[in-house]
PDB file of all heavy atoms in Angstrom:
ATOM      1  N   ALA A  35       6.619 -53.023  49.069  1.00  0.00           N
ATOM      2  CA  ALA A  35       7.156 -52.271  47.943  1.00  0.00           C
ATOM      3  C   ALA A  35       7.150 -53.144  46.691  1.00  0.00           C
ATOM      4  O   ALA A  35       7.430 -54.332  46.729  1.00  0.00           O
ATOM      5  CB  ALA A  35       8.585 -51.824  48.246  1.00  0.00           C
ATOM      6  N   ARG A  36       6.842 -52.521  45.574  1.00  0.00           N
ATOM      7  CA  ARG A  36       6.784 -53.230  44.317  1.00  0.00           C
ATOM      8  C   ARG A  36       8.107 -53.104  43.573  1.00  0.00           C
ATOM      9  O   ARG A  36       8.866 -52.163  43.769  1.00  0.00           O
ATOM     10  CB  ARG A  36       5.664 -52.655  43.439  1.00  0.00           C
ATOM     11  CG  ARG A  36       4.300 -52.743  44.092  1.00  0.00           C
ATOM     12  CD  ARG A  36       3.762 -54.146  44.054  1.00  0.00           C
ATOM     13  NE  ARG A  36       2.480 -54.236  44.742  1.00  0.00           N
ATOM     14  CZ  ARG A  36       1.492 -55.018  44.319  1.00  0.00           C
ATOM     15  NH1 ARG A  36       1.622 -55.751  43.261  1.00  0.00           N
ATOM     16  NH2 ARG A  36       0.369 -55.075  45.006  1.00  0.00           N
ATOM     17  N   MET A  86       1.066 -40.552  45.212  1.00  0.00           N
ATOM     18  CA  MET A  86       1.982 -41.373  46.004  1.00  0.00           C
ATOM     19  C   MET A  86       3.098 -41.797  45.069  1.00  0.00           C
ATOM     20  O   MET A  86       2.848 -42.325  43.984  1.00  0.00           O
ATOM     21  CB  MET A  86       1.296 -42.598  46.588  1.00  0.00           C
ATOM     22  CG  MET A  86       2.221 -43.416  47.486  1.00  0.00           C
ATOM     23  SD  MET A  86       1.353 -44.770  48.299  1.00  0.00           S
ATOM     24  CE  MET A  86       2.717 -45.473  49.232  1.00  0.00           C
ATOM     25  N   THR A  87       4.337 -41.525  45.442  1.00  0.00           N
ATOM     26  CA  THR A  87       5.451 -41.845  44.562  1.00  0.00           C
ATOM     27  C   THR A  87       5.858 -43.299  44.720  1.00  0.00           C
ATOM     28  O   THR A  87       5.532 -43.974  45.702  1.00  0.00           O
ATOM     29  CB  THR A  87       6.661 -40.943  44.841  1.00  0.00           C
ATOM     30  OG1 THR A  87       7.107 -41.170  46.173  1.00  0.00           O
ATOM     31  CG2 THR A  87       6.312 -39.482  44.666  1.00  0.00           C
ATOM     32  N   ALA A  88       6.598 -43.778  43.741  1.00  0.00           N
ATOM     33  CA  ALA A  88       6.970 -45.189  43.696  1.00  0.00           C
ATOM     34  C   ALA A  88       7.880 -45.598  44.842  1.00  0.00           C
ATOM     35  O   ALA A  88       7.958 -46.781  45.172  1.00  0.00           O
ATOM     36  CB  ALA A  88       7.654 -45.498  42.361  1.00  0.00           C
ATOM     37  N   ASP A  89       8.555 -44.649  45.464  1.00  0.00           N
ATOM     38  CA  ASP A  89       9.547 -44.982  46.494  1.00  0.00           C
ATOM     39  C   ASP A  89       9.066 -44.680  47.912  1.00  0.00           C
ATOM     40  O   ASP A  89       9.864 -44.578  48.832  1.00  0.00           O
ATOM     41  CB  ASP A  89      10.855 -44.231  46.223  1.00  0.00           C
ATOM     42  CG  ASP A  89      10.676 -42.731  46.159  1.00  0.00           C
ATOM     43  OD1 ASP A  89       9.530 -42.255  46.310  1.00  0.00           O
ATOM     44  OD2 ASP A  89      11.684 -42.022  45.953  1.00  0.00           O
ATOM     45  N   GLN A  90       7.761 -44.547  48.111  1.00  0.00           N
ATOM     46  CA  GLN A  90       7.247 -44.178  49.423  1.00  0.00           C
ATOM     47  C   GLN A  90       6.637 -45.337  50.209  1.00  0.00           C
ATOM     48  O   GLN A  90       5.963 -45.129  51.209  1.00  0.00           O
ATOM     49  CB  GLN A  90       6.225 -43.042  49.280  1.00  0.00           C
ATOM     50  CG  GLN A  90       6.894 -41.732  48.887  1.00  0.00           C
ATOM     51  CD  GLN A  90       5.891 -40.632  48.626  1.00  0.00           C
ATOM     52  OE1 GLN A  90       4.729 -40.892  48.357  1.00  0.00           O
ATOM     53  NE2 GLN A  90       6.359 -39.403  48.691  1.00  0.00           N
ATOM     54  N   GLY A  91       6.894 -46.554  49.757  1.00  0.00           N
ATOM     55  CA  GLY A  91       6.354 -47.703  50.473  1.00  0.00           C
ATOM     56  C   GLY A  91       6.830 -47.795  51.909  1.00  0.00           C
ATOM     57  O   GLY A  91       6.074 -48.157  52.810  1.00  0.00           O
ATOM     58  N   ARG A 123       0.870 -46.320  41.956  1.00  0.00           N
ATOM     59  CA  ARG A 123       1.480 -46.776  43.203  1.00  0.00           C
ATOM     60  C   ARG A 123       0.500 -46.680  44.359  1.00  0.00           C
ATOM     61  O   ARG A 123       0.481 -47.525  45.257  1.00  0.00           O
ATOM     62  CB  ARG A 123       2.748 -45.964  43.496  1.00  0.00           C
ATOM     63  CG  ARG A 123       3.483 -46.417  44.753  1.00  0.00           C
ATOM     64  CD  ARG A 123       3.988 -47.849  44.619  1.00  0.00           C
ATOM     65  NE  ARG A 123       4.562 -48.349  45.861  1.00  0.00           N
ATOM     66  CZ  ARG A 123       3.869 -48.970  46.816  1.00  0.00           C
ATOM     67  NH1 ARG A 123       2.558 -49.142  46.674  1.00  0.00           N
ATOM     68  NH2 ARG A 123       4.465 -49.408  47.902  1.00  0.00           N
ATOM     69  N   TYR A 148       2.214 -43.860  37.139  1.00  0.00           N
ATOM     70  CA  TYR A 148       2.441 -44.883  38.144  1.00  0.00           C
ATOM     71  C   TYR A 148       3.313 -44.344  39.272  1.00  0.00           C
ATOM     72  O   TYR A 148       3.008 -44.488  40.452  1.00  0.00           O
ATOM     73  CB  TYR A 148       3.114 -46.123  37.540  1.00  0.00           C
ATOM     74  CG  TYR A 148       3.507 -47.113  38.609  1.00  0.00           C
ATOM     75  CD1 TYR A 148       2.565 -47.986  39.131  1.00  0.00           C
ATOM     76  CD2 TYR A 148       4.793 -47.128  39.157  1.00  0.00           C
ATOM     77  CE1 TYR A 148       2.883 -48.863  40.158  1.00  0.00           C
ATOM     78  CE2 TYR A 148       5.121 -47.999  40.171  1.00  0.00           C
ATOM     79  CZ  TYR A 148       4.174 -48.856  40.675  1.00  0.00           C
ATOM     80  OH  TYR A 148       4.498 -49.711  41.707  1.00  0.00           O
ATOM     81  N   SER A 149       4.405 -43.681  38.913  1.00  0.00           N
ATOM     82  CA  SER A 149       5.470 -43.370  39.868  1.00  0.00           C
ATOM     83  C   SER A 149       5.392 -41.985  40.491  1.00  0.00           C
ATOM     84  O   SER A 149       6.012 -41.738  41.514  1.00  0.00           O
ATOM     85  CB  SER A 149       6.828 -43.493  39.160  1.00  0.00           C
ATOM     86  OG  SER A 149       6.922 -42.555  38.093  1.00  0.00           O
ATOM     87  N   HIS A 150       4.639 -41.073  39.861  1.00  0.00           N
ATOM     88  CA  HIS A 150       4.668 -39.654  40.209  1.00  0.00           C
ATOM     89  C   HIS A 150       6.081 -39.075  40.077  1.00  0.00           C
ATOM     90  O   HIS A 150       6.484 -38.188  40.827  1.00  0.00           O
ATOM     91  CB  HIS A 150       4.101 -39.362  41.601  1.00  0.00           C
ATOM     92  CG  HIS A 150       3.651 -37.928  41.747  1.00  0.00           C
ATOM     93  ND1 HIS A 150       4.441 -36.937  42.244  1.00  0.00           N
ATOM     94  CD2 HIS A 150       2.473 -37.331  41.423  1.00  0.00           C
ATOM     95  CE1 HIS A 150       3.795 -35.792  42.243  1.00  0.00           C
ATOM     96  NE2 HIS A 150       2.591 -36.003  41.747  1.00  0.00           N
ATOM     97  N   TYR A 151       6.831 -39.583  39.111  1.00  0.00           N
ATOM     98  CA  TYR A 151       8.101 -38.980  38.720  1.00  0.00           C
ATOM     99  C   TYR A 151       7.834 -38.029  37.553  1.00  0.00           C
ATOM    100  O   TYR A 151       6.856 -38.194  36.816  1.00  0.00           O
ATOM    101  CB  TYR A 151       9.111 -40.042  38.300  1.00  0.00           C
ATOM    102  CG  TYR A 151       9.625 -40.912  39.442  1.00  0.00           C
ATOM    103  CD1 TYR A 151      10.395 -42.035  39.178  1.00  0.00           C
ATOM    104  CD2 TYR A 151       9.327 -40.617  40.774  1.00  0.00           C
ATOM    105  CE1 TYR A 151      10.859 -42.843  40.213  1.00  0.00           C
ATOM    106  CE2 TYR A 151       9.790 -41.417  41.811  1.00  0.00           C
ATOM    107  CZ  TYR A 151      10.560 -42.533  41.521  1.00  0.00           C
ATOM    108  OH  TYR A 151      11.024 -43.326  42.546  1.00  0.00           O
TER     109      TYR A 151
END
Side-chain angles (χ1 to χ4, degrees):
R36 301 285 177 143
M86 183 174 180
T87 62
D89 57 359
Q90 290 175 339
R123 182 63 186 89
Y148 173 81
S149 62
H150 202 267
Y151 290 171

